[in-house]
Amino acid sequence: MEPKLCFIRESYFKDNQHLVKILDSGNASKQSKRTHLCVLIEMNSNKSYIPLRNNLGDDVRKFGRIGHSVPSDKRKNAGLDFRYALIINDESYIEIQKDKRIPESQYRKIKNDYDAISNEFSVYVKGFIKVAKKKRIDKEPLYRVSSLVNYTSELL
């Protein structure tokens, strides 16, 4: 599948100021310039957007997988961070990038790993749902900083 790179429009963050545990909280301008990978998860027809970060660090921590490594020549620790994914089902908030704003090497890695990324993210979301149903989000290191807390009505 051909990955889509996109930006989340600034209006999304202005219209949803209640969101917690998101990247660049309170800075809608910066949030709307962050590249997100568009991943459609077949769970209740939700569309999830995973941010590309300059410094993901280890994509697998001792408590589980937090993302997918997508290094570039200049940013060896870059990657997609599952913890800060957004679920946005209103496409008016999405701006597809017309020109690739990431290095070709990163784009190729995302394209080649797309199925793995989708599967890994699906596992992450399913784990979040399980923990949320038990009301243990704050006790689980893998989900304690997850932006998915904003979308429990869409997920549960």
Side-chain angles (χ1 to χ4, degrees):
M1 176 174 268
E2 191 77 20
K4 294 178 188 172
L5 298 175
C6 62
F7 296 112
I8 312 295
R9 294 184 196 277
E10 193 171 340
S11 58
Y12 175 76
F13 299 104
K14 288 182 176 179
D15 292 349
N16 293 281
Q17 292 183 22
H18 64 280
L19 296 176
V20 295
K21 299 182 183 180
I22 60 172
L23 291 174
D24 309 313
S25 183
N27 189 343
S29 176
K30 186 173 181 183
Q31 291 165 325
S32 65
K33 290 178 177 70
R34 181 178 296 282
T35 298
H36 287 74
L37 172 68
C38 303
V39 178
L40 177 60
I41 298 295
E42 295 299 330
M43 284 185 191
N44 302 330
S45 301
N46 289 317
K47 293 182 181 172
S48 300
Y49 299 89
I50 305 170
L52 182 60
R53 300 191 65 196
N54 290 331
N55 190 4
L56 177 64
D58 295 330
D59 56 345
V60 179
R61 308 280 168 92
K62 63 183 175 186
F63 49 81
R65 178 173 285 283
I66 62 152
H68 190 88
S69 179
V70 185
S72 70
D73 291 338
K74 292 182 181 176
R75 294 180 175 93
K76 303 290 185 206
N77 291 323
L80 297 166
D81 196 332
F82 299 158
R83 297 170 300 174
Y84 297 103
L86 303 173
I87 295 175
I88 304 172
N89 293 316
D90 181 349
E91 291 189 23
S92 69
Y93 288 121
I94 305 305
E95 178 184 340
I96 301 296
Q97 291 182 12
K98 293 171 182 51
D99 303 317
K100 286 184 199 139
R101 303 253 176 111
I102 64 173
E104 185 62 33
S105 61
Q106 280 185 306
Y107 184 79
R108 269 195 317 275
K109 175 136 178 72
I110 291 169
K111 184 176 179 178
N112 293 339
D113 294 358
Y114 194 80
D115 288 340
I117 293 165
S118 185
N119 289 335
E120 291 164 3
F121 183 65
S122 183
V123 167
Y124 181 84
V125 172
K126 287 176 184 173
F128 176 85
I129 291 169
K130 187 176 181 181
V131 169
K133 285 179 178 177
K134 294 180 180 179
K135 300 187 182 340
R136 294 189 45 82
I137 295 169
D138 289 335
K139 295 184 180 9
E140 297 289 336
L142 189 57
Y143 304 108
R144 127 174 13 140
V145 295
S146 179
S147 61
L148 293 179
V149 298
N150 298 297
Y151 307 103
T152 53
S153 62
E154 288 90 343
L155 294 170
L156 300 180

